[in-house]
Amino acid sequence: MSPAYFIQIAEESNLIIKIGECVIEEALRQQAEWREMGLGLVPIAVNISGRHLVLES
């Protein structure tokens, strides 16, 4: 499945927020694992939806 198609569906169904949160959690978990291995801080980039920027608490 093309990411363009998948992302469009995720955006339209508002699942994009949960997907983004899972991706961020996994990136932080991986960073912690690398630090425990003695690798120090490794730069990580995570793309998020524009909906994260306008999310109301």
Side-chain angles (χ1 to χ4, degrees), residues 10 14-22 49-53 55:
N14 286 326
L15 285 174
I16 198 72
I17 299 297
K18 286 189 179 200
I19 293 168
E21 289 171 358
C22 287
S49 167
R51 291 181 188 238
H52 279 94
L53 302 175
L55 184 64

Side-chain angles (χ1 to χ4, degrees), residues 22-43:
C22 287
V23 170
I24 291 168
E25 270 186 44
E26 178 59 21
L28 293 171
R29 187 205 60 75
Q30 183 65 66
Q31 185 69 266
E33 184 178 318
W34 286 334
R35 290 188 72 191
E36 288 175 11
M37 294 171 58
L39 296 177
L41 291 177
V42 177

